[in-house]
Amino acid sequence: MDSYFRDINNDGLKDLFLVTGDPAKKEIRQLNIYLQSKGGFSNQADSKVQFPADAVVYDVGPLSGNGGGPAIVFLAAKGLFFYECQQGVYNQTLKKLSDVSSIYVVPPKNAPIRAKLFFFIGQAKVPILCIPGHNQLFIIDPSRSPSYECPLALPLPVMTSLGSGEENNGEDYDPVTLSQRLVIRVPKLHFLCFDGDTKEDLIAVVKDRITVFKGLGDGLFQKEPVLSTNLDLSSGDESGFIKPNFRVHIADANGDGQQDVLVTNASMKTQNSSTKVYLFINKNGLLPDSPNQVILFANTMGNNFDFQDLNGDGCVDLVIPGANMSLFQFLKILISQKLDYTKNIHLWQNGQYSKKPDIQLEAQARFNLENPEDLQGAFFYMEGDVNGDHVPDLLKSDSDSGKITIRLGQSGSAKLFDSQVSESLEEKRLPSEIDLLDVNGDFCDDIVYRYGVKFPKQMVIWITVK
């Protein structure tokens, strides 16, 4: 189930978008929009919009001059279309926005996927649309109507590869057509200051290739990149039960206003597993040929890392999940269907990351092989600020106790979080995924989690009260 929040009528309250319908049961997929009032959400949808048959991806965002609320934009093979919003109600007539072509040309089997098409740049938070093509990245500024017909095209070819048609399994093999499957790596886009001039640049990442387009300060970018480099860290030890899982992260590690590059490379072998973190420090808009720091973490769970400032010093810290994930241990986990894991916090200190965790949180997760979505146990979240003091807080959900506990963050403290629980919420059944976001516009994050359709409750929202 896909759900997210947007403020449709600019009243400071985020409204709910909920996708319903199961394509496997030939049910019509549609967006159901629920407006929020001071009393909460109504039981019935205030507006419903169905997916077009040829829609591939969609997103929701503002289009200048097209209605009074955020438009629902669909990308199809013949161009970009949208539903406009008037006074909180969506018009049922689909309108065409642009003829821009895209690499998204084949509708997914399970209906359109939600991809991020809207990005907000600059202090004024100017919205732009980014559509990846085969050899260009098309940028549309909704505030400039001519840009709909003539979008800015930046040279940014995607990476493609063909899978092997000889193997009858694997992600690159199409069991229906018995042919090779084309794998397209869509650029991951970051609109951040790369060279320290306070203007937001466009940083595009495709696998281990980084391309930077200099920002001009008005929502546009130079047409030629100022930096294009391959880190060349994806090649190396290809042996083991699972080949190295390679990922690039963009973050201002040392807090100097320039974006640095952190690379994680995780691998699992027969008797051990490991993850390497490579840190490249940005100096005046340039990256070094070799990493400034390399950290080896044994027995970690791949590269599912979080990078965030936990102690308020302006530098990005590492939050690394850890577990013994060798092949032997992996088989043991499958038999027992439970995993003991840790959340390890490595703070930025003295120009580098601490090699040993400064704080370690221990927990256990249990899973059901017959229903992979049925995860139980304890899970940690450090992405939210529930009391509005701009310091991340620690949230823990525990399905065994049926409680969600909150420990407030401490700015500048080595402990990071209060030792005492400030809030405890009770729920009979807790899912393994929780979102922390400000639903009612009071600058405090609320707690949102969802259930599968087989359970009576589909969504629970806990609103924080100052």
Side-chain angles (χ1 to χ4, degrees), residues 347-363:
L347 300 177
W348 178 271
Q349 300 180 39
N350 302 320
Q352 62 179 0
Y353 289 108
S354 55
K355 295 182 179 180
K356 294 183 179 181
D358 297 278
I359 295 178
Q360 193 172 69
L361 305 171
E362 298 181 356

Side-chain angles (χ1 to χ4, degrees), residues 233-285:
L233 293 176
S234 58
S235 61
D237 186 5
E238 296 292 330
S239 63
F241 175 61
I242 295 179
K243 293 183 179 180
N245 189 4
F246 179 82
R247 190 175 298 175
V248 175
H249 311 263
I250 304 295
D252 183 5
N254 56 1
D256 65 352
Q258 301 181 89
Q259 300 305 310
D260 308 305
V261 175
L262 299 101
V263 182
T264 56
N265 198 349
S267 63
M268 181 189 299
K269 298 186 179 182
T270 304
Q271 297 182 351
N272 59 67
S273 62
S274 65
T275 298
K276 289 183 180 179
V277 175
Y278 303 88
L279 171 64
F280 295 82
I281 298 294
N282 185 348
K283 292 293 185 182
N284 301 320

Side-chain angles (χ1 to χ4, degrees), residues 395 404 406 425 434-436 445-449 460-462:
L395 183 147
I404 298 175
I406 300 172
L425 310 174
I434 292 179
D435 292 327
L436 296 167
D445 285 331
D446 308 300
I447 300 173
V448 180
Y449 47 94
V460 174
I461 304 175
W462 293 85

Side-chain angles (χ1 to χ4, degrees), residues 159-403:
M159 286 186 175
T160 60
S161 61
L162 283 174
S164 173
E166 297 178 357
E167 298 179 6
N168 57 3
N169 53 25
E171 62 178 9
D172 297 340
Y173 179 75
D174 189 342
V176 177
T177 62
L178 303 179
S179 63
Q180 291 176 320
R181 177 178 294 171
L182 184 65
V183 178
I184 300 176
R185 294 182 173 89
V186 179
K188 187 174 183 180
L189 305 179
H190 305 266
F191 293 90
L192 301 165
C193 177
F194 186 78
D195 53 10
D197 64 355
T198 71
K199 296 179 181 178
E200 290 184 350
D201 307 305
L202 168 55
I203 309 170
V205 179
V206 182
K207 198 178 179 182
D208 59 349
R209 186 184 68 204
I210 299 175
T211 307
V212 180
F213 296 89
K214 187 174 179 59
L216 301 177
D218 60 351
L220 298 178
F221 303 89
Q222 289 186 0
K223 292 187 177 181
E224 296 298 327
V226 295
L227 174 68
S228 183
T229 180
N230 285 75
L231 299 178
D232 198 25
L233 293 176
S234 58
S235 61
D237 186 5
E238 296 292 330
S239 63
F241 175 61
I242 295 179
K243 293 183 179 180
N245 189 4
F246 179 82
R247 190 175 298 175
V248 175
H249 311 263
I250 304 295
D252 183 5
N254 56 1
D256 65 352
Q258 301 181 89
Q259 300 305 310
D260 308 305
V261 175
L262 299 101
V263 182
T264 56
N265 198 349
S267 63
M268 181 189 299
K269 298 186 179 182
T270 304
Q271 297 182 351
N272 59 67
S273 62
S274 65
T275 298
K276 289 183 180 179
V277 175
Y278 303 88
L279 171 64
F280 295 82
I281 298 294
N282 185 348
K283 292 293 185 182
N284 301 320
L286 295 175
L287 297 175
D289 294 331
S290 58
N292 300 89
Q293 185 182 9
V294 180
I295 314 172
L296 177 63
F297 299 101
N299 302 323
T300 61
M301 294 191 296
N303 54 13
N304 186 25
F305 291 12
D306 293 324
F307 300 91
Q308 62 185 113
D309 183 6
L310 293 174
N311 55 0
D313 63 353
C315 302
V316 177
D317 308 305
L318 304 184
V319 182
I320 305 170
N324 189 348
M325 291 292 289
S326 66
L327 175 57
F328 292 149
Q329 186 66 19
F330 183 72
L331 296 175
K332 182 179 178 181
I333 291 170
L334 289 178
I335 296 174
S336 64
Q337 299 190 39
K338 62 182 180 181
L339 171 68
D340 295 312
Y341 75 96
T342 59
K343 279 272 190 174
N344 306 293
I345 300 176
H346 298 254
L347 300 177
W348 178 271
Q349 300 180 39
N350 302 320
Q352 62 179 0
Y353 289 108
S354 55
K355 295 182 179 180
K356 294 183 179 181
D358 297 278
I359 295 178
Q360 193 172 69
L361 305 171
E362 298 181 356
Q364 184 183 85
R366 299 187 303 279
F367 55 93
N368 185 349
L369 291 176
E370 296 180 357
N371 182 12
E373 295 182 358
D374 184 16
L375 288 174
Q376 299 183 29
F379 303 91
F380 297 99
Y381 304 87
M382 287 168 271
E383 300 82 14
D385 173 19
V386 299
N387 61 349
D389 63 353
H390 307 291
V391 179
D393 304 309
L394 175 63
L395 183 147
K396 179 183 178 182
S397 68
D398 190 339
S399 60
D400 293 335
S401 62
K403 292 183 179 180

